[in-house]
Amino acid sequence: MENPTKISALAITLNEAHNIEAYLKGLWFADEIVIVDSFSSDETVALASKHEKVKVYQRKFDNFSSQKNFAISKANNDWVTFFDLDEEITPAVAMEILQVSKKPKAIAYFVKRDYNFMGKRIKYSGFQTDYVIRFFNKNKCRYNSNLVHETIDANGKTEKLSHSVPHHTYKSFDHYTGKLHQYSELQAKMLYEKGKKPTLYHFLFRPWYRFWHQYVIRLGVLDGKEGFILAYVSAFSVFKRYVNLWLLYRKIN
C-alpha cells in the first residue's frame, strides 16, 4: 500500500563520490531526493544526477545552517529527512520512518548515532547520548543560525526513534582533523561576530577542560587508545578555535 505521507530526503554534499551511491540506495523510501552541492570537484554531481528521484542544486558554501535551510526550501513535501552522508541509513531506520510518517505524533524525530572512529565503535567519550533530529515537518522546523554544529529548532513536540544509525565520520586521520579545523574556523567566526575576545583562560583552561571532560568525565578512557586520540584532537580543536579568533582580531590570515 502506498504511503499517504510523501517524504523528501535532503542532503548537502562536497566531494562525496566515494559513498553517494550507497547513501542514495538507503533512501529508497523517499519520494524525492534533494541534493545541495558545494561545487564538488569529483563525480558527486554526475553520480547523483543519474538517479530519477534526485534533484541537484549547486550553491556556494557559506555555513552549514544556511546551506541546510536552502535545501529545506527546495523540498516539495512537508515531511523531510536530513541525514549526513557519513550516516548509514539502515533498513530498520527506513522502515521506522515510514511507519511513523503514516500518523506522526510529533513534528520532529531524533535518531541516535552509533559513532565509529578508526574502525572501532565508540561507546563512550560523550557519544553515548548522541541524538540528532533527522526526520521532521519542514513547516515547524528550521536549522538555527549556528555556522557549525547546527541544530534544528523544533516548534512543537519531538520524539525519538527506537533504531539507531551507524555514524562513519572517519575516512583518514588527516580528513578527520581537517573537518575539526574547518569547524574551529567557523566557530571562531561566530565568536568574532558576537564580540568575544580570546584571553589566556581560553588558550590554557578551555582545551585542558575539554580533554579531561571527554576523557574522564565522559568516560573516553573506556574507549581505549581511540578514546584518548579523540579527546586529544578535540582539545586541540578548542585551542585552534581561539587561535583563529585571535587571528581575526589581529587581521592575520
Side-chain angles (χ1 to χ4, degrees):
M1 182 178 177
E2 185 179 357
N3 187 8
T5 302
K6 300 296 182 182
I7 298 174
S8 296
L10 315 178
I12 61 173
T13 60
L14 175 63
N15 296 333
E16 294 286 351
H18 57 284
N19 64 4
I20 187 70
E21 294 280 10
Y23 178 81
L24 294 176
K25 185 177 180 180
L27 293 171
W28 57 268
F29 60 92
D31 296 282
E32 70 165 353
I33 301 173
V34 175
I35 302 289
V36 177
D37 182 78
S38 303
F39 295 96
S40 292
S41 59
D42 63 6
E43 297 298 311
T44 299
V45 173
L47 292 171
S49 299
K50 293 192 305 182
H51 294 260
E52 183 180 352
K53 293 192 296 185
V54 174
K55 297 177 183 178
V56 178
Y57 299 89
Q58 289 195 296
R59 180 180 187 270
K60 183 179 179 181
F61 181 87
D62 47 6
N63 63 71
F64 287 98
S65 289
S66 63
Q67 199 79 343
K68 290 186 175 183
N69 284 330
F70 176 80
I72 291 174
S73 73
K74 297 300 181 182
N76 288 321
N77 302 308
D78 291 338
W79 283 91
V80 302
T81 66
F82 215 133
F83 289 93
D84 291 342
L85 269 289
D86 56 11
E87 295 168 352
E88 182 184 341
I89 309 166
T90 64
V93 169
M95 290 301 298
E96 188 173 7
I97 288 174
L98 277 177
Q99 188 63 35
V100 300
S101 70
K102 293 177 181 178
K103 287 187 177 181
K105 297 180 180 179
I107 56 97
Y109 290 84
F110 285 88
V111 179
K112 186 178 185 300
R113 297 192 293 186
D114 295 334
Y115 195 78
N116 293 272
F117 179 72
M118 301 182 79
K120 180 177 180 178
R121 165 81 164 87
I122 302 299
K123 298 181 179 180
Y124 304 99
S125 300
F127 297 104
Q128 53 267 57
T129 55
D130 186 16
Y131 283 88
V132 288
I133 290 176
R134 288 295 180 260
F135 182 56
F136 57 93
N137 188 311
K138 71 173 187 180
N139 300 314
K140 302 290 182 66
C141 301
R142 276 293 185 275
Y143 283 91
N144 60 18
S145 59
N146 287 354
L147 304 187
V148 66
H149 296 313
E150 68 290 346
T151 57
I152 287 180
D153 291 330
N155 185 25
K157 181 182 178 182
T158 63
E159 290 188 356
K160 293 179 180 178
L161 298 183
S162 59
H163 294 93
S164 60
V165 296
H167 187 197
H168 305 286
T169 188
Y170 183 86
K171 298 173 187 175
S172 69
F173 191 71
D174 287 342
H175 174 266
Y176 182 78
T177 55
K179 286 176 63 175
L180 293 185
H181 289 326
Q182 181 191 21
Y183 296 162
S184 295
E185 289 178 2
L186 291 171
Q187 287 171 322
K189 185 178 180 182
M190 288 172 58
L191 293 173
Y192 182 77
E193 291 173 350
K194 293 177 181 178
K196 185 75 173 180
K197 293 186 177 181
T199 66
L200 196 61
Y201 163 83
H202 297 109
F203 288 115
L204 296 179
F205 179 77
R206 292 297 293 273
W208 176 87
Y209 177 79
R210 170 62 66 85
F211 177 85
W212 287 105
H213 182 264
Q214 186 167 328
Y215 191 63
V216 178
I217 299 175
R218 299 294 282 162
L219 302 177
V221 63
L222 299 181
D223 286 317
K225 63 180 181 298
E226 291 84 1
F228 178 85
I229 293 170
L230 277 170
Y232 180 86
V233 174
S234 180
F236 183 76
S237 72
V238 173
F239 174 76
K240 183 75 161 41
R241 177 196 314 166
Y242 291 104
V243 169
N244 288 332
L245 179 59
W246 177 74
L247 292 174
L248 287 172
Y249 278 102
R250 291 289 301 274
K251 309 298 181 185
I252 301 174
N253 292 325

